[in-house]
């Protein structure tokens, strides 16, 4: 019996490994297509925002480095960016593989890795790959693994990395509660001492950086941006972020696509329920205060930026890393049966990066949307 369980655990570990390899290949392929082949302004364009064409601005740190390398070597910008993204994804999935390979996985672990709003989004909407989000995720994973391994990282180093993350993309600021949470759980020291370190070395540097960006930062797009890039050998296939209007009326956009954005609540509920089952069946606990605070911190991001699927993908990927790495309870047939049902059910729906918060097969789609609207209007009438 014991040998049978060991064999089953090995098989699941191999499945987990194959799934992570598949995700890695999807990320590399989409990165190459969007950055090198299409020169897409929403991908390549975001990575090459820089300080040289208009001064200090949001998201310009890495673009400035890429421009510098381009000027020093004459290597095309798209290849410089792709090489960097390739390195980041390789590091991320190597660490993720290491994290999961060392533990005894179960079918419930697969249910988390396949979650359509988390890592599983790569199977349903691969366009979520090649975004700047991966830089935050790889640093989060490295920090998480270091804390679990009791490796001491100087607080000043953490501060610098938080600043770099926000200078790369300000969205990282809104996920700071997750960084603080893993520090609070795994770092040594008294509660009061850890709170002080979080306040001084995480929250204050992040707030100060955000203040500098929005008080003194210039617009992402300047009149000379496209000419500057052309002079550096790049003509974007799609302007993307370089034609985005800073005064874009996001509220009107939400009203126009209200139905699709309302459906994100279905994806959030199903994803949360998946995590709840995982924690209950594995006899694990996670702070409800942290979860509520993290969701509240994300509200401004959901107001400011309309690619909601992207923000959910980061959130549930972070939660997958935290939950999936924990020691799981002994497997039972009932536990495996529940996991299989979750995997089958979650394979029937998708969360998209833009506009469509929940997509499924017509029959399931219609039933859940009717149920959603029934509950929505009932609650609305009560309120």
């Amino acid at each position: 019996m014991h040998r049978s369980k060991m064999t089953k655990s090995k098989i699941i570990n191999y499945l987990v490994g194959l799934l992570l390899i598949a995700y890695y290949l999807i990320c590399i392929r989409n990165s190459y297509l969007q950055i090198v082949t299409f020169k897409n302004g929403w991908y390549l364009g975001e990575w090459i925002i820089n300080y040289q064409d208009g001064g200090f601005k949001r998201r310009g740190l890495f673009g400035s480095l890429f421009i510098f390398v381009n000027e020093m070597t004459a290597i095309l910008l798209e290849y410089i960016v792709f090489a960097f993204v390739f390195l980041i994804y390789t590091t991320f999935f190597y660490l993720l593989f290491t994290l999961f390979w060392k533990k005894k996985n179960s079918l419930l672990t697969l249910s988390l890795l396949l979650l359509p709003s988390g890592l599983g989004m790569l199977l349903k909407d691969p366009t979520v790959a090649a975004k700047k989000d991966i830089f935050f995720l790889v640093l989060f994973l490295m920090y998480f693994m270091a804390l679990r391994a009791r490796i001491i990282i100087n607080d000043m180093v953490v501060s610098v990395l938080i600043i770099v993350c926000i200078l790369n993309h300000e969205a990282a600021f809104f996920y700071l509660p997750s960084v603080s949470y893993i520090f609070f759980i795994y770092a040594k020291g008294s509660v009061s001492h850890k709170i002080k370190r979080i306040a001084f070395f995480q929250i204050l540097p992040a707030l100060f950086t955000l203040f500098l960006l929005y008080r003194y930062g210039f617009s992402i797009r300047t009149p000379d941006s496209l000419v500057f890039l052309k002079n550096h050998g790049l003509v974007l296939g799609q302007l993307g972020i370089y034609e985005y209007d800073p005064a874009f009326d996001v509220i009107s956009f939400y009203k126009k696509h209200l139905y699709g954005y309302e459906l994100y609540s279905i994806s959030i509920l199903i994803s949360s329920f998946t995590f709840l089952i995982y924690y209950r069946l594995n006899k694990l606990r996670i702070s409800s205060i942290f979860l509520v605070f993290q969701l509240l911190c994300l509200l401004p991001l959901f107001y400011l930026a309309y690619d909601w699927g992207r923000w959910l993908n980061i959130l549930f990927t972070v939660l997958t890393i935290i939950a999936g790495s924990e020691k799981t309870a002994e497997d039972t047939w009932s536990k495996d049966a529940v996991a299989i049902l979750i995997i089958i059910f979650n394979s029937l729906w998708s969360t998209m990066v833009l506009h469509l918060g929940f997509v499924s097969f017509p029959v399931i789609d219609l039933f859940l949307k009717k149920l959603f609207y029934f509950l929505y209007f009932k609650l609305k009438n009560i309120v």
Side-chain angles (χ1 to χ4, degrees), residues 212-367:
L212 288 179
L213 285 174
Y214 283 92
R215 179 66 179 83
Y216 300 104
F218 294 101
S219 174
I220 284 176
R221 181 188 67 186
T222 66
D224 298 325
S225 292
L226 295 178
V227 174
F228 179 84
L229 293 177
K230 188 176 181 179
N231 291 338
H232 284 75
L234 176 64
V235 176
L236 293 170
Q238 180 185 350
L239 294 181
I241 200 164
Y242 286 99
E243 62 180 353
Y244 179 77
D245 182 5
F248 179 75
D249 187 357
V250 70
I251 298 300
S252 295
F253 182 83
Y254 289 147
K255 288 178 179 178
K256 184 178 178 181
H257 300 90
L258 184 60
Y259 178 70
Y261 279 98
E262 283 179 339
L263 295 180
Y264 277 104
S265 61
I266 296 179
S267 294
I268 293 171
L269 286 172
I270 296 175
S271 301
S272 300
F273 187 65
T274 300
F275 273 90
L276 176 64
I277 292 174
Y278 183 89
Y279 272 91
R280 287 288 177 86
L281 293 184
N282 282 310
K283 300 176 182 178
L284 298 171
R285 297 186 67 184
I286 188 169
S287 170
S288 56
I289 296 174
F290 152 65
L291 292 174
V292 171
F293 190 64
Q294 175 61 90
L295 287 172
L296 288 175
C297 285
L298 287 178
L299 291 180
L301 183 59
F302 280 90
Y303 169 76
L304 294 168
Y306 55 74
D307 35 357
W308 287 15
R310 183 178 174 184
W311 316 131
L312 287 180
N313 175 258
I314 299 172
L315 173 64
F316 285 112
T317 298
V318 163
L319 293 179
T320 298
I321 291 170
I322 295 172
S325 62
E326 296 291 342
K327 187 176 180 181
T328 55
E330 193 71 22
D331 281 353
T332 62
W333 285 108
S334 59
K335 183 178 169 183
D336 288 343
V338 171
I340 291 170
L341 288 174
I342 291 173
I343 292 170
I344 292 172
F345 178 76
N346 284 348
S347 69
L348 301 176
W349 62 275
S350 306
T351 301
M352 310 305 287
V353 174
L354 289 171
H355 305 165
L356 292 174
F358 180 88
V359 182
S360 184
F361 293 103
V363 176
I364 300 173
D365 197 62
L366 183 64
F367 169 75

Side-chain angles (χ1 to χ4, degrees), residues 54-242:
F56 179 67
K57 64 185 73 168
R58 293 183 292 123
R59 311 179 196 180
L61 179 62
F62 283 113
S64 298
L65 297 175
F66 298 144
I67 294 294
F68 175 77
V69 174
N70 169 262
E71 291 174 344
M72 292 296 102
T73 65
I75 299 172
L76 294 175
L77 277 168
E78 57 265 36
Y79 289 109
I80 296 171
V81 174
F82 175 72
F84 180 77
V85 173
F86 177 87
L87 178 63
I88 293 294
Y89 271 118
T90 301
T91 303
F92 177 74
F93 280 102
Y94 171 76
L95 292 175
L96 204 60
F97 185 91
T98 303
L99 184 68
F100 281 95
W101 188 258
K102 289 182 178 180
K103 71 184 289 284
K104 182 182 176 183
N105 293 297
S106 67
L107 289 173
L108 279 173
T109 308
L110 278 173
S111 73
L112 288 190
L113 292 174
L114 286 165
L115 190 65
S117 57
L119 284 166
M121 190 181 288
L122 289 167
L123 297 174
K124 308 293 182 72
D125 190 357
T127 61
V128 74
K131 294 283 191 177
K132 280 190 164 187
D133 317 331
I134 187 57
F135 184 72
F136 166 76
L137 288 172
V138 75
L139 287 186
F140 178 86
L141 180 56
M142 292 171 71
Y143 189 47
F144 179 73
M145 292 181 72
L147 287 170
R148 281 176 55 88
R150 301 299 182 187
I151 297 173
I152 298 174
I153 299 178
N154 187 280
D155 287 329
M156 288 300 296
V157 173
V158 175
S159 297
V160 169
L161 292 177
I162 287 173
I163 291 170
V164 170
C165 264
I166 295 173
L167 291 177
N168 174 56
H169 197 302
E170 65 276 14
F173 173 83
F174 300 97
Y175 294 91
L176 196 59
S178 294
V179 178
S180 300
Y181 174 72
I182 60 173
F183 173 82
F184 189 82
I185 294 298
Y186 292 107
K188 292 181 179 180
S190 65
V191 171
S192 60
H193 183 59
K194 285 191 282 189
I195 290 174
K196 288 177 184 176
R197 288 171 69 186
I198 288 171
F200 283 104
F201 295 104
Q202 295 183 21
I203 298 174
L204 284 180
L207 287 172
F208 179 70
T209 307
L210 208 64
F211 169 76
L212 288 179
L213 285 174
Y214 283 92
R215 179 66 179 83
Y216 300 104
F218 294 101
S219 174
I220 284 176
R221 181 188 67 186
T222 66
D224 298 325
S225 292
L226 295 178
V227 174
F228 179 84
L229 293 177
K230 188 176 181 179
N231 291 338
H232 284 75
L234 176 64
V235 176
L236 293 170
Q238 180 185 350
L239 294 181
I241 200 164
Y242 286 99

